[in-house]
């Protein structure tokens, strides 16, 4: 079964990480994609361009079509993903980030499940996280498996690990793709859109991607801009009928408590509540 992988890269990305990520979703996969679509989200460094040319040769040697799509200016992940969708040639599209590492069995597991369950439009899975050494992941982000439990978790937290998803392309296009004016929660909103449209979501109980969190991960979760995005999401959840006003208020309180709590408390929260120790 043929499928595409969709990635994007921008100027601040690390060329070595990009090469490792591309390798993980192509060369290293048990079931390899027919196409890799890479969107250059605005001008990139010479190192990234050199990496792209090197990987173009590698993928050509193993028969994988490498489609590189340049954009004149950086427009963000949502816009880059929407652009990339237009170049994906196959029914199934898998997402990947430019610095993460897919496990070799990822696509074999996902395509087998999607083939057996035509009612599923979006299929994700679990992730592990690491800072420096990909062979030493420190924690796992667990997500619910069946659709009803995913919907229930969406009322409070993102229930799908974005980097792990495999979608049916036409279903996502019928939703209008990603919203480009929804801050950094474009994936969360897409899951809400999918649920509202009657599409079915599922997560595999398998770890599919090893995510590079790096230094400063906790500090990046302290950006007060996240409060604005989160409040916008609560209004959308209300509009979609997934939550009531009381739940919206409690969610708004939750994000403010989390953003303003000291870094050491955030680390404890991640280790004991938001993540499971590997």
């Amino acid at each position: 079964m043929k499928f595409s992988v969709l990635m994007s890269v921008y100027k601040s990305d690390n060329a070595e990480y990009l090469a490792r990520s591309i390798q993980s979703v192509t060369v290293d996969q048990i079931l390899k994609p027919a196409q890799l679509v890479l969107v250059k989200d605005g001008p990139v460094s010479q190192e990234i361009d050199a990496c792209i040319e090197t990987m173009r040769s590698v993928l050509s040697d193993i028969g994988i079509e490498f489609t590189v799509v340049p954009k004149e200016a950086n427009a963000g992940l949502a816009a880059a993903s929407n652009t990339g969708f237009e170049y994906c040639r196959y029914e199934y599209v898998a997402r990947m980030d430019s610095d993460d590492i897919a496990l070799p069995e990822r696509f074999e597991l996902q395509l087998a499940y999607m083939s057996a369950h035509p009612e599923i439009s979006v299929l994700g899975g679990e992730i592990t996280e690491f800072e420096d050494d990909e062979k030493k992941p420190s924690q796992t982000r667990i997500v619910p498996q069946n659709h009803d439990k995913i919907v229930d978790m969406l009322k409070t937290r993102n229930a799908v690990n974005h980097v792990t998803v495999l979608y049916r392309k036409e279903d996502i296009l019928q939703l209008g793709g990603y919203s480009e004016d929804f801050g950094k929660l474009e994936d969360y909103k897409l899951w809400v859109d999918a649920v509202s449209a009657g599409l079915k979501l599922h997560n595999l109980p398998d770890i599919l991607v090893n995510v590079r969190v790096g230094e400063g991960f906790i500090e990046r979760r302290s950006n007060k801009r996240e409060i604005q995005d989160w409040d916008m999401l609560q209004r959308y959840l209300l509009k979609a009928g997934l939550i009531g006003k009381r739940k919206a208020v409690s969610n708004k309180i939750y994000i403010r408590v989390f953003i303003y709590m000291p870094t050491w408390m955030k680390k404890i929260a991640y280790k004991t509540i938001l993540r499971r120790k590997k």
Side-chain angles (χ1 to χ4, degrees), residues 10 99-100 129-131 184 211-227 229 255 258-259 263 266-267 270:
Y10 76 114
D99 55 357
D100 298 332
E129 297 172 335
F130 71 98
E131 290 190 8
K184 293 185 177 181
V211 172
R212 189 187 304 272
V213 293
E215 295 183 3
F217 171 71
I218 299 296
E219 288 74 11
R220 292 195 297 274
R221 294 300 183 270
S222 302
N223 191 330
K224 295 178 179 58
R225 169 62 192 272
E226 292 197 14
I227 293 177
D229 292 347
I255 194 61
F258 183 78
I259 291 295
T263 298
K266 285 190 178 73
K267 291 180 179 179
Y270 267 100

Side-chain angles (χ1 to χ4, degrees), residues 29 95-96 103-110 163-165:
Q29 285 296 308
R95 262 214 81 256
M96 187 61 183
L103 272 65
E105 63 273 18
R106 173 186 172 180
F107 299 143
E108 181 182 49
L109 291 170
Q110 289 187 292
V163 68
T164 68
V165 296

Side-chain angles (χ1 to χ4, degrees), residues 34-53:
Q35 180 192 28
L36 172 62
V37 176
L38 179 65
V39 179
K40 291 167 61 175
D41 192 12
V44 297
S45 67
Q46 292 181 350
E47 291 79 9
I48 289 175
D49 274 330
C51 168
I52 290 172
E53 291 311 307

Side-chain angles (χ1 to χ4, degrees), residues 26-266:
T26 54
V27 178
D28 293 348
Q29 285 296 308
I30 297 171
L31 178 62
K32 293 175 172 53
Q35 180 192 28
L36 172 62
V37 176
L38 179 65
V39 179
K40 291 167 61 175
D41 192 12
V44 297
S45 67
Q46 292 181 350
E47 291 79 9
I48 289 175
D49 274 330
C51 168
I52 290 172
E53 291 311 307
T54 297
M55 295 312 297
R56 188 189 301 277
S57 176
V58 170
L59 298 190
S60 177
D61 288 344
I62 58 175
I64 296 177
E65 178 183 352
F66 191 17
T67 306
V68 179
V69 184
K71 292 176 68 74
E72 291 185 0
N74 176 269
L77 180 59
S81 297
N82 287 336
T83 297
F85 262 121
E86 299 175 10
Y87 292 85
C88 292
R89 297 177 54 199
Y90 299 101
E91 175 187 2
Y92 298 103
V93 177
R95 262 214 81 256
M96 187 61 183
D97 284 342
S98 60
D99 55 357
D100 298 332
I101 300 164
L103 272 65
E105 63 273 18
R106 173 186 172 180
F107 299 143
E108 181 182 49
L109 291 170
Q110 289 187 292
L111 268 295
Y113 190 90
M114 290 287 262
S115 296
H117 297 84
E119 74 280 6
I120 301 300
S121 297
V122 178
L123 178 65
E126 297 181 359
I127 61 172
T128 51
E129 297 172 335
F130 71 98
E131 290 190 8
D132 301 310
D133 188 346
E134 66 177 86
K135 297 181 180 179
K136 296 180 180 180
S138 59
Q139 54 200 15
T140 304
R141 185 171 192 265
I142 304 298
V143 284
Q145 294 176 36
N146 69 53
H147 178 81
D148 290 342
K149 290 183 178 180
I150 289 173
V151 173
D152 191 54
M153 184 174 173
L154 282 173
K155 298 174 184 178
T156 305
R157 294 171 56 203
N158 197 334
V160 180
N161 290 316
H162 193 201
V163 68
T164 68
V165 296
L166 176 75
Y167 343 71
R168 296 186 192 273
K169 176 183 174 182
E170 290 306 315
D171 290 345
I172 300 304
L173 291 178
Q174 287 179 13
L175 294 176
Y178 290 90
S179 294
E180 300 180 13
D181 56 355
F182 219 81
K184 293 185 177 181
L185 298 176
E186 68 281 323
D187 59 317
Y188 202 147
K189 180 182 180 294
L190 185 62
W191 316 145
V192 175
D193 289 340
V195 168
S196 298
L199 301 182
K200 296 295 183 182
L201 286 65
H202 189 84
N203 286 313
L204 296 176
D206 307 273
I207 295 169
L208 301 181
V209 178
N210 202 359
V211 172
R212 189 187 304 272
V213 293
E215 295 183 3
F217 171 71
I218 299 296
E219 288 74 11
R220 292 195 297 274
R221 294 300 183 270
S222 302
N223 191 330
K224 295 178 179 58
R225 169 62 192 272
E226 292 197 14
I227 293 177
Q228 179 181 335
D229 292 347
W230 191 252
D231 287 354
M232 180 166 51
L233 175 67
Q234 302 317 305
R235 292 191 294 271
Y236 198 74
L237 289 170
L238 275 167
K239 181 180 178 182
L242 262 66
I243 63 173
K245 292 182 179 180
R246 181 175 297 181
K247 182 64 175 174
V249 170
S250 67
N251 284 345
K252 289 180 180 181
I253 293 172
Y254 153 77
I255 194 61
R256 285 161 171 79
V257 170
F258 183 78
I259 291 295
Y260 285 103
M261 71 170 54
T263 298
W264 65 268
M265 289 183 67
K266 285 190 178 73

